[in-house]
Structure formats: C-alpha cells, structure tokens
Amino acid sequence: FFFFFFPPPFRHEETGQHSHPTMMKLASLSLLAGSAVAFSPAAPAARTSVALAAEKSQALPFMNRPPLLDGSMAGDVGFDPLGLSNIDDVGIDLYWLREAELKHGRVAMLAVTGFLQVELFGPAPGCEAATAKCQTDAFWQLWNSHPQYVAAGLVMITFIEAVSGIATTSGRESGDRAPGDFGLDPLGYMKGDPAKAERLKAQEIANGRLAMWAASGLIVQGCTNHMGGVEALTQSLNDNMF
C-alpha cells in the first residue's frame, strides 16, 4: 500500500543516478500549469453568449428577449411568447409580420370608428335599410337590400390588397421601404422633428393593437347578444350600478 502511493526512486543502471527529483519537478510544473488554466479568464465570446441569453423581455420579464426584437421598431417591448418573430422558412418573416400588424391595426381603427359612428348617428346616406344598432345585424340588412354595395366593397378591398401586396413584396426584397410605409402623410405629421415622428409611430401601433381587441369584442358581442357596443355598455353599467 505504501509503495503504491509513494514509489521508491528509480535508479538508472548505467548512470547510477536517482530520477525521483526530476519526476517531482515535472509533477510540480504540471500542477502549476493546471492551476494557471483553471484561473485564467473565460473567452469573450462565451461571456457575450451568456449576456445575450440572460437578457430578458421587457413585456415578459420571466422570458428571454426574442433575438430579432431589439427595440428598434416602434412599440417593440419584446412580446413574442410563441416565437413568431423567428419564423423565416415559409415565406413569412419579421418584415411580413410587421406589415400585417400595421395593416390590421389601421383597418381595426377604421372599423371601430364605423361601428360607433353608425350606432350613435345612424346609417350613411344610401344605407337607410341598415337600421339595427348591432352592426353585425346591420350588415345583413344591407346585404338583403343592396348586395351591390357589399360586392363593390369586396372589389375595392381586392384592389387595395393587390397594391399592398406588391409594395410589401418589393419593399422586403429591396430593403428600401419600411413595413407599412405607403408615403401617405398629407398633413406632414412625420416631417420635422424625428423624436415626434417616433412618438407618433408608437402611438399608431398602440392604438392599432387596442382597436384590434375592440373590433374583435364588438363583432363577437354583436353575434352573441345582437346589441350595439354602446348599447351593451350602457346596459352593463345600469345592471351593475350600486
């Protein structure tokens, strides 16, 4: 047992010298080298990877920030729990998703305004048949009396979608067009102060997201209880008033 852990010095037959001191020196040098490696700093790339992995989403602090959502887009707070921003293999990428979000937000803002305007002030000229407060019911009233209005609307939507699709495809390929930018700014709101322009972009996307929720609620509620939005809100307040 003793000789297993402490072997006796080896004596060369030709020189007659002991090699034990030499072996001890080599062992000491090996230990010193190993200690130096153990306490040497980590590689910069490893530190960078750890830092990126530890960066949390502003909207969801318990999740890591999606790699492509770096805060450069207006309204970007890192909210992507399903990882949709990482899709890039089915003809859909972050540019396409941003274009779709802006488009649906703008349409929803117009839809909510139309819902409330018709419910509060009545139908537009030529659409007097749509008398229902619930706009989902008013749509079918208009369809039964003037289906050509609905057909004309579908033709217009098809034309707008064709123009929008061409702009989106060419802009994504060239990189010269920001998502949702059609150069439509007749009042010049986006000119002048860059900080003001960025604030307006953030307000547009925030109101668009809110309007998408509002439009969804108005449609689902109209199909469920056949009441207008203001009518349902008023009844809810009256029924739950203390």
Side-chain angles (χ1 to χ4, degrees), residues 159-215:
F159 175 76
I160 294 174
E161 281 296 304
V163 175
S164 174
I166 294 172
T168 302
T169 303
S170 59
R172 181 168 57 173
E173 293 176 352
S174 64
D176 296 332
R177 172 186 176 272
D181 183 10
F182 292 94
L184 183 63
D185 185 22
L187 300 180
Y189 285 129
M190 304 302 294
K191 298 177 182 178
D193 187 6
K196 176 184 176 182
E198 291 301 319
R199 184 174 68 254
L200 291 174
K201 290 179 182 179
Q203 290 174 348
E204 180 190 29
I205 195 67
N207 285 286
R209 290 166 178 170
L210 179 61
M212 285 189 278
W213 282 107

Side-chain angles (χ1 to χ4, degrees), residues 6 8 41 102 113 119 135 230:
F6 301 95
L102 285 169
T113 303
E119 181 181 356
Q135 295 308 297
V230 177

Side-chain angles (χ1 to χ4, degrees), residues 66-167:
L68 298 179
L69 300 183
D70 55 3
S72 58
M73 296 188 301
D76 175 16
V77 290
F79 182 81
D80 185 20
L82 300 181
L84 299 178
S85 61
N86 298 322
I87 298 177
D88 193 22
D89 55 356
V90 290
I92 298 175
D93 56 9
L94 186 59
Y95 184 99
W96 190 92
L97 292 172
R98 182 64 165 186
E99 181 83 22
E101 182 182 31
L102 285 169
K103 178 189 296 183
H104 286 87
R106 292 164 179 170
V107 170
M109 285 188 281
L110 290 172
V112 172
T113 303
F115 263 69
L116 300 180
Q117 184 269 329
V118 174
E119 181 181 356
L120 294 174
F121 303 105
C127 303
E128 289 80 4
T131 58
K133 292 292 185 181
C134 173
Q135 295 308 297
T136 54
D137 292 341
F139 171 81
W140 293 114
Q141 289 177 337
L142 187 63
W143 172 263
N144 293 328
S145 60
H146 300 289
Q148 67 273 18
Y149 291 175
V150 179
L154 293 175
V155 171
M156 184 178 297
I157 292 173
T158 301
F159 175 76
I160 294 174
E161 281 296 304
V163 175
S164 174
I166 294 172

